[in-house]
Amino acid sequence: GRQVIPAAPSVRRLARELHVDIHDVHGSGIAGRISEEDVRRAAGTPSVA
Amino acid sequence: MTKQMDFDLLVIGAGPGGYHAAIRAAQLGLKVACAEREALGGVCLNVGCIPTKALLHAGEMMAAAHEAADFGLSFGEQKLNVQKLNGWKDGIVKKLTGGVGALFKANKVTHLVGQASFVDPHTVKVGDKTYTASNIIIATGSEPARLPGLEVDQQNIVDSTGALVVPDPIPARMLCVGGGVIGFEFAHVYNNLGAKVKVIEFLPSIIPGADADAVKEFSKAMKKQGIEIETQTKANKAEKKADGIHVELESVKTGEKRTEVFDRVLVAVGRRPRTDGLNAQAAGVTVTDRGFIPADREQRTNVPHIYAIGDVAGNPMLAHKAMKEGLVAAEVVAGKPAAQDAVAIPGVVYTSPELAWVGLTEQEAKDKGYQVKTGNFPFSASGRAMTLQQTDGFVKMVVEKDTDLVLGVHIVGPHASDMLGEASLALEMAATAADIALTIHAHPTLGESVLEAAEAVHKQAIHIMNR
């Protein structure tokens, strides 16, 4: 099956900082790409834009 | 109150992994020591990447001087001063290893000289002194694997370290046992310096791990330059006689044996992790039967405050992997949320053309269940490659069919190693082939071939017919 986590290195690091398992994050971008905002949403702490 | 430790972190080994770990930990405010029993910089700087690349450059300049005749430039008879070549190479090594020492000083990393061995989980003996540390990183590297029957004497039968000293005269016939990266780089060096070179490989394919199409193209280019390649062949034994080294070769398929005579034999059949003298059991650190020290994504061994990085922690044995793992371990020690989470570790053979790749091969992608599309762009259609007189090779891009995500990039061609940075970034950023195709690449450059390979994935490359 698929193994690529479509998230930039900085986004993956943010997930670790927020104790979010990147595998559980829904990517809202093209090709399922995971944004910083997706990670913050998964952590329950969305940033105020 | 806990006992005061001598250091927050003690790094064992000052190779690429070790010095990266030590410097990053110091940057993060830790009190750091780095123990090294040999020269700073480890294998890569002293007897690996750096001196090999220096010799490769020299060999390529000699080949290029011949090829310049095509555009009317002749240099007269080539004369190689072997002593000067060795000296130039050694000078580069000295400058870089000295640089590591200067970086240690600048970052206040304590350099401990000597063999390090564990006394207990927090105590390490270096030379005849003992030091305590809250955290320890094992970065002891690897050494050339041996081959029974071919005893390395570093004169006639050499490993990669011996092969770095270019003999005078250049050997007339040379055998490289092992068709991996190291075998081919030295084959290329000595072929360009005037030796008749044969490479033998036990497996059905050379450069294990690389994409099959790329290997085929690479193999074609090497043969065109006069390097003989025999796969599924092994060397049983070597005997030094008056007329040279008699090597018994055997076909793995048929069992047929024959003896060939060479002036120099390189044994490059892989590398094995180095843990001799470390006494890892005194710290309770697990060492596998093959000598590796397994580590998790945070580079921790089975003992949580002891880390392992680089060659000793597992394959692939590559300097840039060790460097990354060193940074990860140092950051974890400093309490940062780091992890070895790289999408892909690039691989490079620094011959001419170079073979460089990152990510999945077409076969690996299929084996993992991906539906794939590929795009190829040959350097024979690159204007820049023509102006450089280096049109052998191609860029092959492997892409997931539905999402267009780039899964792997495989390049055979000039400066493939430098072009690979873009491909690595593409994989880490989860770029699609469309992202690459829509990015303006400067013209004329070799890097445009990466763009054109991405266009070829969508069957709309401009400089070739799309099939």
Side-chain angles (χ1 to χ4, degrees):
Chain A
R2 297 212 30 195
Q3 304 202 349
V4 170
I5 304 297
S10 54
V11 173
R12 305 200 296 268
R13 182 172 64 185
L14 177 70
R16 289 194 297 273
E17 281 167 358
L18 299 179
H19 305 289
V20 169
D21 186 341
I22 193 86
H23 296 85
D24 298 339
V25 180
H26 170 75
S28 62
I30 287 166
R33 266 187 289 206
I34 300 166
S35 67
E36 191 182 314
E37 199 51 40
D38 293 334
V39 171
R40 291 193 190 282
R41 200 176 300 118
T45 55
S47 63
V48 184
Chain B
M1 200 180 129
T2 53
K3 205 182 101 200
Q4 189 68 36
M5 298 279 184
D6 295 327
F7 298 102
D8 298 321
L9 172 65
L10 194 156
V11 182
I12 302 174
Y19 82 75
H20 271 69
I23 291 172
R24 175 56 52 87
Q27 287 170 342
L28 294 171
L30 301 183
K31 191 179 175 196
V32 184
C34 186
E36 174 57 59
R37 67 182 182 186
E38 290 166 16
L40 291 179
V43 169
C44 176
L45 265 62
N46 288 282
V47 288
C49 331
I50 295 296
T52 318
K53 265 82 263 179
L55 293 183
L56 280 158
H57 175 66
E60 272 158 34
M61 290 293 283
M62 289 180 66
H66 283 297
E67 286 156 18
D70 292 352
F71 50 86
L73 180 59
S74 58
F75 294 91
E77 195 199 339
Q78 281 197 347
K79 269 185 261 173
L80 175 65
N81 182 331
V82 169
Q83 204 186 340
K84 203 164 176 184
L85 172 62
N86 284 322
W88 170 72
K89 170 206 66 187
D90 294 342
I92 296 168
V93 169
K94 207 174 156 193
K95 190 171 177 186
L96 286 170
T97 56
V100 173
L103 288 169
F104 274 5
K105 274 207 185 79
N107 286 285
K108 298 189 171 61
V109 172
T110 304
H111 174 200
L112 306 173
V113 180
Q115 164 74 48
S117 59
F118 280 102
V119 176
D120 66 44
H122 280 288
T123 312
V124 176
K125 192 172 175 217
V126 182
D128 50 12
K129 288 192 179 139
T130 55
Y131 302 91
T132 54
S134 309
N135 300 276
I136 296 159
I137 295 176
I138 302 168
T140 48
S142 64
E143 62 194 358
R146 292 180 190 147
L147 192 60
L150 279 80
E151 304 310 325
V152 168
D153 62 11
Q154 301 297 32
Q155 295 293 324
N156 303 101
I157 303 177
V158 297
D159 61 20
S160 55
T161 301
L164 284 169
V165 182
V166 178
D168 196 3
I170 303 291
R173 265 187 74 76
M174 178 158 169
L175 174 69
C176 295
V177 182
V181 176
I182 295 171
F184 269 98
E185 290 188 350
F186 280 112
H188 198 253
V189 165
Y190 280 92
N191 183 60
N192 278 340
L193 296 183
K196 176 83 192 121
V197 181
K198 178 191 287 240
V199 179
I200 61 166
E201 167 59 47
F202 182 87
L203 297 171
S205 174
I206 57 167
I207 319 289
D211 182 84
D213 288 342
V215 167
K216 206 168 144 190
E217 184 77 6
F218 174 78
S219 187
K220 201 171 83 185
M222 290 300 107
K223 284 176 182 166
K224 194 169 126 186
Q225 293 173 28
I227 295 172
E228 269 182 80
I229 302 170
E230 283 183 27
T231 55
Q232 292 185 286
T233 303
K234 62 177 179 172
N236 291 330
K237 58 183 178 192
E239 204 184 334
K240 203 187 158 193
K241 291 188 179 175
D243 62 335
I245 309 156
H246 290 234
V247 184
E248 184 186 280
L249 302 177
E250 181 181 336
S251 163
V252 178
K253 265 196 299 191
T254 65
E256 178 216 339
K257 290 175 188 168
R258 65 186 190 281
T259 297
E260 292 188 22
V261 183
F262 301 91
D263 303 296
R264 212 175 207 210
V265 178
L266 165 70
V267 180
V269 292
R271 300 182 63 82
R272 56 180 189 184
R274 203 155 66 153
T275 52
D276 61 291
L278 183 63
N279 197 24
Q281 61 270 29
V285 172
T286 300
V287 182
T288 69
D289 294 346
R290 295 182 57 207
F292 286 109
I293 298 178
D296 65 12
R297 275 163 52 94
E298 294 186 325
Q299 302 302 137
R300 289 183 204 267
T301 67
N302 61 307
V303 181
H305 72 275
I306 301 178
Y307 302 73
I309 59 171
D311 290 5
V312 78
N315 287 310
M317 293 188 184
L318 296 168
H320 43 268
K321 166 187 163 276
M323 292 169 171
K324 171 73 177 178
E325 291 179 353
L327 300 181
V328 168
E331 289 172 13
V332 171
V333 167
K336 305 267 179 210
Q340 166 52 304
D341 67 343
V343 172
I345 299 165
V348 177
V349 191
Y350 289 85
T351 44
S352 179
E354 293 182 340
L355 168 57
W357 71 96
V358 64
L360 302 177
T361 67
E362 186 177 351
Q363 192 57 50
E364 282 169 348
K366 286 174 176 168
D367 290 346
K368 283 181 186 289
Y370 287 104
Q371 297 285 314
V372 301
K373 285 188 297 188
T374 63
N376 273 51
F377 186 80
F379 286 105
S380 59
S382 158
R384 184 64 181 129
M386 287 180 214
T387 66
L388 293 168
Q389 220 185 359
Q390 296 180 65
T391 52
D392 286 341
F394 58 65
V395 177
K396 173 178 174 177
M397 195 171 288
V398 181
V399 166
E400 187 182 27
K401 204 172 174 182
D402 294 338
T403 62
D404 201 39
L405 283 167
V406 180
L407 300 174
V409 178
H410 309 272
I411 309 175
V412 179
H415 299 280
S417 56
D418 292 314
M419 279 184 270
L420 202 63
E422 175 187 10
S424 297
L425 181 63
L427 285 172
E428 295 296 341
M429 296 298 292
T432 61
D435 290 326
I436 292 175
L438 291 165
T439 301
I440 297 178
H441 290 60
H443 176 79
T445 60
L446 295 167
E448 283 174 285
S449 302
V450 178
L451 176 157
E452 282 275 59
E455 293 278 33
V457 169
H458 307 131
K459 303 206 182 302
Q460 50 185 9
I462 298 297
H463 296 92
I464 52 168
M465 292 298 292
N466 293 276
R467 278 167 295 175

